[in-house]
Amino acid sequence: MVKVQINKSTIGGILRCPSSKSYTHRAIAIGSLAEGRSVITNVLLSRDTLATLAACKLLGAVIKHENITLHIEGKHSYDAPRNILNAENSGTTIRILTAMAALVKKGFTIITGDDSLRKRPMQPILDALTQLGVHCYSSRLNGMAPLIVKGGGIKGGTAIVNGGISSQFVSSLLISSIHADSAVTIRINGEQVSKPYIEATIATMKAFGVTINYKPKISEYYVENKEYRSTVFDIPADFSAAALILSAGVLTGDEVTLNGLNFGLPQGDSHIIDIIREMGGKIKVEKEKGKVTVYGCSALEGGEFNLADTPDLLPVVSILALKASSPVRIYGVAHARLKETDRVSNITSQLVKLGATVRQRNDEIVISSPEVLKNSSLEAFNDHRLFMAFTIASMLTEKSTVTGAESVDVSYPSFIQDMTKLNASIRLIPDRE
């Protein structure tokens, strides 16, 4: 595991936000299902998205890339892949692939991932596809990867999906069900978490020529048999990454400006703007210019924040709480325990090292900041979002370390370089140290 040392820092400057991981996944998958040639511009090439790209190639899409532009020759009926599909660490990849694998004409597709991914729940997508006439299984019969999907197509009908674990199950069904033999109805059982990610899926599908009928009052999606249209799709900037940089600016900044943001496509993590305002932070938003500027402040206000729709903001709001003058309660985050790691427990254990008082329950965490943050040796548990959040928090201490720098390849490979451009004092610690 790669460790970094962080010294107290005051950052400032202008940065272009990296492209969206969520939209890159969706555009690659949908482009691979669209007959003809699609061009995807400003893609994010990270460990997660490269896993989606490699898997779609194995399914039969022809994908060529020139820097950050992809040219995709897609099709909606595949031959059985010649190798196992490896989703690496990406929950989005494995869940989208599972439904896509059902479109294989005949034969079996095996899908797996790394040790962390093989511990994440997959039974809801298996159950939903089974209801739609697909034969699919967990090879260990425990509802987790490796998965085996028998080809032959999606028959159609009604699938009932548990909404309380992840939105990725619904996104997976939406993306592939347009090629079912008959219409598909997706009905949500319980409250759906992370709804903005489903909205991102629907927006991407619309860009490729497919509109989804949705009844929000009864949480039901109706998918007709249609064809994707090849297109040119520009990946927007990633508000998940932007949230981290904006939090760094508020906590340790002089003045930090992010360029290249797109407010035209739905991204739930843009809610960070409202949260910063609610906590008393100073922020300037220029939507027409795609620009957001934040200003450092000596103290923030506490409050209560429901992150059921935006679980990736949990690490961000947790570190903002370290400057809050009263407790910060974050709730609706039980599903954050089922991400790359149990983020609720892991955030609790590390913020305590910094001197914070933290209480956690199944779906909430309450953080009270200390008068002075302690120098600490923090562990990111090989979780990219925790590593980035803990690195930013460490900039408030005199000198701390965080282990797990290699994890940023999952979503934001240039994170350390970008933070250094903003004058953050971060250096890799050689193994001999």
Side-chain angles (χ1 to χ4, degrees), residues 34-56:
E35 297 283 350
R37 173 172 289 188
S38 294
V39 179
I40 317 299
T41 58
N42 287 316
V43 298
L44 175 74
L45 297 176
S46 69
R47 196 193 323 167
D48 274 12
T49 59
L50 288 171
T52 296
L53 189 154
C56 287

Side-chain angles (χ1 to χ4, degrees), residues 179-410:
H179 294 305
D181 296 341
S182 61
V184 169
T185 299
I186 303 166
R187 191 170 295 145
I188 310 304
N189 182 24
E191 187 67 25
Q192 177 66 61
V193 298
S194 305
K195 292 176 186 175
Y197 289 97
I198 299 175
E199 293 170 5
T201 300
I202 291 172
T204 310
M205 293 174 71
K206 186 175 181 180
F208 282 82
V210 172
T211 301
I212 296 296
N213 293 318
Y214 173 43
K215 298 178 181 178
K217 288 185 179 180
I218 58 174
S219 295
E220 187 173 282
Y221 302 85
Y222 182 73
V223 187
E224 297 177 295
N225 187 277
K226 295 184 179 180
E227 297 279 338
Y228 287 120
R229 182 180 64 242
S230 58
T231 191
V232 177
F233 187 81
D234 185 63
I235 303 295
D238 194 343
F239 264 101
S240 299
L244 286 154
I245 302 302
L246 294 174
S247 72
V250 171
L251 290 170
T252 69
D254 178 13
E255 180 177 323
V256 175
T257 297
L258 276 182
N259 284 325
L261 295 168
N262 183 336
F263 291 87
L265 288 170
Q267 290 195 66
D269 287 345
S270 63
H271 184 48
I272 189 61
I273 293 170
D274 298 323
I275 291 174
I276 288 173
R277 283 176 173 151
E278 286 180 47
M279 295 185 75
K282 187 178 179 184
I283 185 167
K284 179 182 179 182
V285 180
E286 300 173 84
K287 288 186 177 182
E288 67 285 352
K289 296 181 180 179
K291 181 190 297 187
V292 176
T293 302
V294 291
Y295 307 86
C297 60
S298 57
L300 294 168
E301 299 170 8
E304 298 192 355
F305 303 97
N306 183 351
L307 300 187
D309 281 342
T310 54
D312 285 343
L313 291 183
L314 171 60
V316 178
V317 181
S318 295
I319 61 172
L320 287 173
L322 296 174
K323 260 199 173 181
S325 57
S326 58
V328 171
R329 176 179 174 245
I330 305 166
Y331 63 101
V333 291
H335 52 308
R337 295 183 181 274
L338 303 172
K339 292 286 188 177
E340 286 83 342
T341 65
D342 180 344
R343 286 181 177 163
V344 177
S345 292
N346 290 340
I347 287 171
T348 297
S349 68
Q350 301 309 295
L351 294 194
V352 167
K353 290 182 183 179
L354 291 167
T357 300
V358 187
R359 293 185 291 107
Q360 62 164 312
R361 295 177 182 169
N362 180 53
D363 74 335
E364 73 172 36
I365 184 171
V366 181
I367 304 166
S368 298
S369 64
E371 289 187 13
V372 179
L373 290 179
K374 300 176 182 177
N375 294 339
S376 302
S377 295
L378 304 176
E379 170 61 55
F381 305 94
N382 203 32
D383 185 324
H384 56 123
R385 297 201 191 280
L386 296 191
F387 174 81
M388 292 185 282
F390 294 158
T391 296
I392 292 166
S394 295
M395 290 160 52
L396 294 168
T397 70
E398 294 301 323
K399 183 173 74 173
S400 291
T401 62
V402 184
T403 301
E406 66 274 26
S407 65
V408 297
D409 285 348
V410 165

Side-chain angles (χ1 to χ4, degrees), residues 122-163:
M122 291 294 299
Q123 196 62 48
I125 186 66
L126 297 175
D127 290 342
L129 286 170
T130 298
Q131 293 170 58
L132 298 177
V134 179
H135 296 283
C136 49
Y137 321 90
S138 161
S139 68
R140 295 179 292 163
L141 302 178
N142 64 354
M144 301 176 192
L147 306 178
I148 302 169
V149 182
K150 184 179 180 181
I154 299 171
K155 305 308 179 190
T158 298
I160 299 173
V161 184
N162 180 349

